[in-house]
Amino acid sequence: MNQKNSTYLRLIKAVPKSLQLFLNVCLVLLALILSFLLFKELIEFLKILLFANEGGDYKQFLANILIFFLYFEFITMIIKYFKEDYHFPLRYFIYIGITAMIRLIIVEHDHPLNTLIYSLIILILIISYFIINITPLERPSRSSLFIEKEH
């Protein structure tokens, strides 16, 4: 019976470790793919800058710049994940959301109502970022008001 418990405990400890290893391998592969796409966007910038005529589409160029930054932010977030002991900082998701919404406004600004909604989403993300920055990282212990006093 004791051997069954020991095997069971080892199995329970092995499952999260193997899942973490799988996640880490997938994130490294994702980082490599994103790095390749980032390099590809850089080549596209050079093509646009070197071979563009005067009537180039500046909206598409700006959209490409923001896609470049999205790749960059995702790669940075993966790096931070490994540096911060397997934890994704929330502020990087907010950066990515703001950048993505700005890209949408630049690319698809034909409908004023959609542009207004995208702008409101950016405002909500900025407010969220502000709240994250003013919130202490360590949560305080329960207040003395909530602790029962012994008499």
Side-chain angles (χ1 to χ4, degrees):
M1 189 71 173
N2 213 3
Q3 187 177 5
K4 274 187 174 179
N5 284 341
S6 174
T7 306
Y8 178 72
L9 288 175
R10 278 187 285 167
L11 181 64
I12 287 189
K13 289 181 181 180
V15 169
K17 286 182 182 180
S18 59
L19 289 174
Q20 185 67 51
L21 178 66
F22 176 72
L23 177 67
N24 291 347
V25 169
C26 288
L27 280 175
V28 168
L29 289 174
L30 180 64
L32 291 173
I33 291 168
L34 290 173
S35 298
F36 172 75
L37 292 172
L38 183 72
F39 185 71
K40 187 177 167 187
E41 282 297 320
L42 196 57
I43 291 172
E44 287 296 318
F45 287 146
L46 292 175
K47 284 181 185 177
I48 290 172
L49 289 175
L50 296 177
F51 303 115
N53 53 11
E54 292 297 318
D57 188 14
Y58 73 93
K59 293 177 192 172
Q60 189 61 37
F61 184 70
L62 289 175
N64 285 351
I65 288 174
L66 290 171
I67 288 173
F68 180 85
F69 278 108
L70 284 172
Y71 289 141
F72 185 81
E73 288 172 356
F74 274 115
I75 293 169
T76 304
M77 189 172 62
I78 292 171
I79 292 168
K80 282 289 187 184
Y81 172 79
F82 288 112
K83 283 186 176 180
E84 294 191 14
D85 199 24
Y86 310 117
H87 171 71
F88 282 116
L90 184 61
R91 68 178 181 270
Y92 284 98
F93 286 110
I94 293 175
Y95 296 155
I96 290 169
I98 291 171
T99 305
M101 297 314 308
I102 291 172
R103 181 186 176 279
L104 271 176
I105 288 174
I106 290 173
V107 174
E108 299 179 18
H109 62 276
D110 298 334
H111 304 289
L113 184 61
N114 288 347
T115 303
L116 177 65
I117 292 170
Y118 298 152
S119 301
L120 291 174
I121 291 171
I122 291 172
L123 178 64
I124 291 169
L125 289 170
I126 290 171
I127 291 170
S128 301
Y129 182 75
F130 178 73
I131 291 171
I132 287 172
N133 279 340
I134 63 171
T135 305
L137 292 177
E138 306 245 349
R139 300 285 179 230
S141 60
R142 294 181 71 178
S143 172
S144 61
L145 296 174
F146 299 111
I147 297 175
E148 292 181 24
K149 295 183 180 179
E150 294 181 23
H151 294 293

